[in-house]
Amino acid sequence: MNRYPLWKNLIIAITLLVGLLYTLPNFYGESPAIQISPLRTTAEAGLPLLQQVEGTLKKHGIINEGTLVEGNSIKIRFADTDVQIKARDILQSELGTYYIVALNLIPNSPEWLNSLGALPMYLGLDLRGGVHFLLQTDMDGALTKALDRYSSDIRSTLREQKISSAGLDRQDSQLIIKFRDEPSRSKAETELKKIYSDLDVRTQDTGRDFRLLVSIKPEAQTRMQSATIQQNISTLRNRVNELGVAEPVIQQAGIDRVIVQLPGVQDTAKAKDILGRTATLEIRMVDDESDIDAALRGQIPFGTELLTERGGGAILVKKQILLTGDRITDAQPGFDSDNQPAVHVTLDSNGARIFKQLTRNNVGKRMAILLVEKNHAEVVTAPVIREEIGGGRVQISGRMSSMEARDVALLLRAGALAAPMEIIEERTVGPSLGADNISRGFNSTLFGFLAVAVFIMLYYRAIGVISVLALGANLLLLISLLSILQATLTLPGMAAIALTVGMAIDANVLINERIRDELRNGLTPQLAISAGYERAFGTIVDSNITTLIAGIALFAFGSGPVKGFAVVLCLGILTSVFTAVTVSRAMVNLIYGGHRKLERISIGTVWKPKVIKR
C-alpha cells in the first residue's frame, strides 16, 4: 500500500498553505506614494506631523488612498502618479526645509497579510523602472589626500621631537623632507619608521642637502583603496537613505567602481546631484600677512593656497587643514543672526576640543571655512575669531540659498566621500518599460508552463496531471521563498523562473518513466509506484546537485544580474526536488494508495516488447 502517515501529509499541507500566504502579496501590485521624513535625526514623525500633512492635502483638494506611519517616516498612498507628484510639490512648499519629501512606491497587499510579515518581492531596476549609475572613484585623489594628511602629521612629529628640517614638499606620489645635516636626517628616519609603519622611508643625498623620500607602501595603498571604496559605499548609502529611496542597490564593481541602482526614482536630476557631489568641510587659517597682489601675479608663498571667497575676491589660505568634516556628528539647515540661510554643524567631542583650542590660540585672526567639491575648494566664509568658541557648534553662512543650505547639510550629515567620485555611466528605465518587462517575463513563464503542462498531461494522462500540479506547487513555493527572503527580482531572475519550470518537470519525467519500466517488468501497479519513486530518487538528487553546484559558483563569482539569476536558480532546484519527490508522491498516494487491488494506473501507453517464440 502507498500511503503517507498523517503527520507527513500535514507537513506538506502546511508548507503549501504557508507558500500560498507568502505568495499572495505579489499579486496586489504597488501604488505611488510619498514618504515624509524629518530632516533632524532627533525629530519624530508622529501623529502631529500626520495631522498636519492630512490637513495640507485636504486644503488643496488632494485625495489620498491611505496613510501609514512606518519607523520614523510617514507614507501616503495615492491613486496615480499625477496626484503623487502634485502632492509632493505642495508638501515640499508647505513643510519647508525641515522635512524630506520623497517619491516612493508601497505595496497594496491587505493589512492582515502585512501583520503576518507577508511582503512582496522587491523588483529590480529593469522591472520597476528607475535610474542606474556607475561611479568611478578617483584613487589618485585618495592618494593625494593621504599624502597631505601624512605631510601634516610628519610636520607635527618633527616639531614634537625637536628635529629641525629645511622643508617638506610633495612631489608626485612621495614626500621629500630636506635636512641640513646627517644627524638630523638619521634621527628623523628612525622616528618616522617607528611611528609610521605604512610609510616607506628612504634616504637621498644631493650636493646641497640631505633628504628623506617618503612614500606609501604598496600593501598599504591596496588597503587604503579597499577602505576608500567601502567608505564611499557607506556614504552613498547614507545619502540614498536621505533621499528616501526604497530597496536601493549599492555594490562594488571592480577595484574602483560602484554601482548605484535606485528603483522607482523619478527625480533623477536630484539623485544625480546628491550622489555626484563630494562636499567636505575643511577649516584652515587665513594668511593675512602675505601680499595678496603678489599672489595674484603668481608669487604664492610656500605653504599657502590662493582661493576664491564666495561672493568676494581672492584670499590666501594656509594649506594646513586644522579640522575636517570627519568630526561632524550632525548638520542642519537654518538661519544665522541676520536671518540669512546657514548650516549649523555639530562636532564630536574630539572635534569640539580641537575647535576650542584652535579658536583660543588664534583670537583676532581670520579662520576660513571651506567646502571642497570634486577637488575644487571654495571659501564659504572667513570670519575673524573674536573669542574662544566651545560647545562643538559651528555655523556656516555666506551667500547661500535655503535649498543650497539644505543640500550642503545633507551632504555633511551623510558623511564625506573618502575620495571624489565621478558618474561615468547613467541609464534610466521608465516605469512603462519596467511594466512591459514584467508583462513579457510573466507571459514567457506562463506560456512555458502551459506548453509543458499540455504535453505532460497528454503523454502521461492522470499521472501527468499530478506532475503538472506538482509543478504548480513548485512555482508557488519558489515565489514564496523569494518573498520571505525579500530577494530582488530582476529580468535574469524571471528567466531563471522560466528555466526552473523546464528543469523541474525533468524529475517528474524520471519518476513516471521509472514507473513505466516497473510495469513492463511485470510488477503490480502499487509496487511499480513505490519502486518508481524510490529508484528515481537517487538519479534526481544527483542531477540536481550538479546544477546546484553550478548555481552556487555563479552566485560566488558573479555580480549584479548574475547573482540574481543564481539565487532564483538555486532556490528553484530545492523546491523542484521537494515537490517532485514529496508533493507529487502525496497526491499519487491519495488517489491510488487506498486501493488494495489496483488493476491499472493512468500513466499513458506502457510499451512492452514482444516475446518471439522459437
Side-chain angles (χ1 to χ4, degrees), residues 321-335:
I321 301 171
L322 303 174
L323 195 64
T324 66
D326 297 338
R327 302 296 182 186
I328 292 175
T329 59
D330 193 19
Q332 302 295 340
F335 299 91

Side-chain angles (χ1 to χ4, degrees), residues 587-609:
M587 288 188 285
V588 169
N589 290 349
L590 289 174
I591 296 174
Y592 295 110
H595 300 277
R596 290 184 177 274
K597 294 183 179 181
L598 184 63
E599 298 294 333
R600 61 183 299 273
I601 56 175
S602 178
I603 196 170
T605 304
V606 180
W607 175 81
K608 292 183 180 181

Side-chain angles (χ1 to χ4, degrees), residues 100-134:
I100 300 170
V101 182
L103 301 177
N104 212 326
L105 293 168
I106 57 177
N108 291 328
S109 49
E111 187 59 35
W112 66 272
L113 279 175
N114 294 333
S115 63
L116 294 174
L119 302 172
M121 289 179 290
Y122 290 154
L123 296 180
L125 188 71
D126 45 9
L127 297 181
R128 175 178 284 183
V131 64
H132 165 102
F133 294 115
L134 180 62

Side-chain angles (χ1 to χ4, degrees), residues 18-294:
V18 171
L20 178 62
L21 283 176
Y22 282 88
T23 301
L24 281 177
N26 296 284
F27 295 99
Y28 287 95
E30 294 176 315
S31 292
I34 286 177
Q35 177 175 306
I36 303 170
S37 307
L39 198 57
R40 292 182 179 273
T41 55
T42 55
E44 293 185 2
L47 186 60
L49 176 61
L50 179 61
Q51 291 174 343
Q52 180 185 357
V53 169
E54 289 179 337
T56 301
L57 295 177
K58 187 176 181 181
K59 182 176 69 174
H60 289 84
I62 296 178
I63 301 173
N64 64 74
E65 300 290 319
T67 58
L68 172 67
V69 178
E70 190 176 75
N72 200 32
S73 64
I74 293 174
K75 294 181 180 179
I76 308 166
R77 190 195 313 265
F78 297 95
D80 53 60
T81 54
D82 292 336
V83 179
Q84 175 200 29
I85 294 174
K86 182 180 178 182
R88 190 273 307 270
D89 295 339
I90 291 172
L91 289 173
Q92 273 187 339
S93 61
E94 291 285 337
L95 296 177
T97 59
Y98 297 101
Y99 294 93
I100 300 170
V101 182
L103 301 177
N104 212 326
L105 293 168
I106 57 177
N108 291 328
S109 49
E111 187 59 35
W112 66 272
L113 279 175
N114 294 333
S115 63
L116 294 174
L119 302 172
M121 289 179 290
Y122 290 154
L123 296 180
L125 188 71
D126 45 9
L127 297 181
R128 175 178 284 183
V131 64
H132 165 102
F133 294 115
L134 180 62
L135 298 98
Q136 184 164 19
T137 305
D138 181 10
M139 288 303 180
D140 292 335
L143 180 62
T144 300
K145 193 173 180 180
L147 285 173
D148 289 340
R149 186 172 61 251
Y150 278 122
S151 173
S152 177
D153 293 344
I154 289 173
R155 282 193 179 95
S156 300
T157 300
L158 296 178
R159 194 180 307 115
E160 290 171 1
Q161 299 297 325
K162 297 181 180 180
I163 302 173
S164 60
S165 66
L168 188 154
D169 199 9
R170 179 169 61 83
Q171 189 177 79
D172 297 329
S173 60
Q174 66 180 3
L175 300 175
I176 301 176
I177 312 173
K178 301 175 184 178
F179 298 90
R180 295 183 180 88
D181 53 71
E182 171 61 28
S184 296
R185 182 180 70 173
S186 179
K187 185 179 179 182
E189 181 183 7
T190 303
E191 290 295 330
L192 294 182
K193 286 183 176 180
K194 181 173 66 175
I195 297 174
Y196 303 102
S197 58
D198 288 341
L199 296 181
D200 181 29
V201 183
R202 294 173 287 111
T203 59
Q204 182 188 60
D205 293 330
T206 65
R208 293 169 296 177
D209 50 30
F210 302 88
R211 297 184 177 186
L212 283 180
L213 305 181
V214 180
S215 59
I216 302 175
K217 293 179 180 179
E219 59 271 20
Q221 289 189 32
T222 303
R223 289 199 308 271
M224 182 187 69
Q225 289 179 347
S226 177
T228 298
I229 285 290
Q230 292 307 314
Q231 182 179 335
N232 280 2
I233 289 175
S234 177
T235 300
L236 289 173
R237 187 169 286 111
N238 289 337
R239 294 183 180 184
V240 169
N241 290 340
E242 294 277 6
L243 288 172
V245 179
E247 304 101 48
V249 175
I250 304 172
Q251 60 187 20
Q252 184 174 349
I255 298 175
D256 59 350
R257 295 183 177 183
V258 176
I259 291 174
V260 179
Q261 293 183 348
L262 308 176
V265 167
Q266 300 169 39
D267 194 353
T268 56
K270 179 70 173 178
K272 184 177 180 179
D273 179 58
I274 293 298
L275 292 177
R277 293 179 66 179
T278 58
T280 59
L281 177 72
E282 291 181 359
I283 294 180
R284 309 186 201 172
M285 296 305 298
V286 177
D287 184 6
D288 285 324
E289 299 175 358
S290 301
D291 187 359
I292 188 70
D293 294 328

Side-chain angles (χ1 to χ4, degrees), residues 123-130 428-445 489-492 494-495:
L123 296 180
L125 188 71
D126 45 9
L127 297 181
R128 175 178 284 183
T428 302
V429 180
S432 59
L433 179 59
D436 185 56
N437 288 337
I438 293 175
S439 176
R440 288 174 179 270
F442 177 79
N443 288 337
S444 63
T445 304
L489 182 66
T490 60
L491 267 179
M494 296 196 79

Side-chain angles (χ1 to χ4, degrees), residues 529-597:
I529 291 172
S530 179
Y533 274 95
E534 290 174 2
R535 294 176 181 176
F537 178 74
T539 306
I540 292 170
V541 171
D542 290 343
S543 62
N544 281 280
I545 281 179
T546 54
T547 311
L548 185 63
I549 291 172
I552 293 172
L554 286 174
F555 181 80
F557 300 107
S559 62
V562 177
K563 278 184 179 288
F565 179 86
V567 168
V568 179
L569 178 64
C570 292
L571 292 176
I573 290 170
L574 298 177
T575 56
S576 63
V577 171
F578 174 76
T579 53
V581 174
T582 307
V583 176
S584 67
R585 178 71 182 274
M587 288 188 285
V588 169
N589 290 349
L590 289 174
I591 296 174
Y592 295 110
H595 300 277
R596 290 184 177 274
K597 294 183 179 181

Side-chain angles (χ1 to χ4, degrees), residues 484-538:
I484 292 170
L485 296 174
Q486 288 292 274
T488 300
L489 182 66
T490 60
L491 267 179
M494 296 196 79
I497 292 177
L499 177 63
T500 300
V501 172
M503 291 173 53
I505 203 64
D506 287 349
N508 295 98
V509 170
L510 284 172
I511 293 170
N512 295 345
E513 288 299 327
R514 192 67 191 187
I515 293 174
R516 282 181 168 183
D517 287 341
E518 301 301 336
L519 291 173
R520 291 189 195 103
N521 292 334
L523 292 183
T524 63
Q526 291 287 12
L527 290 176
I529 291 172
S530 179
Y533 274 95
E534 290 174 2
R535 294 176 181 176
F537 178 74

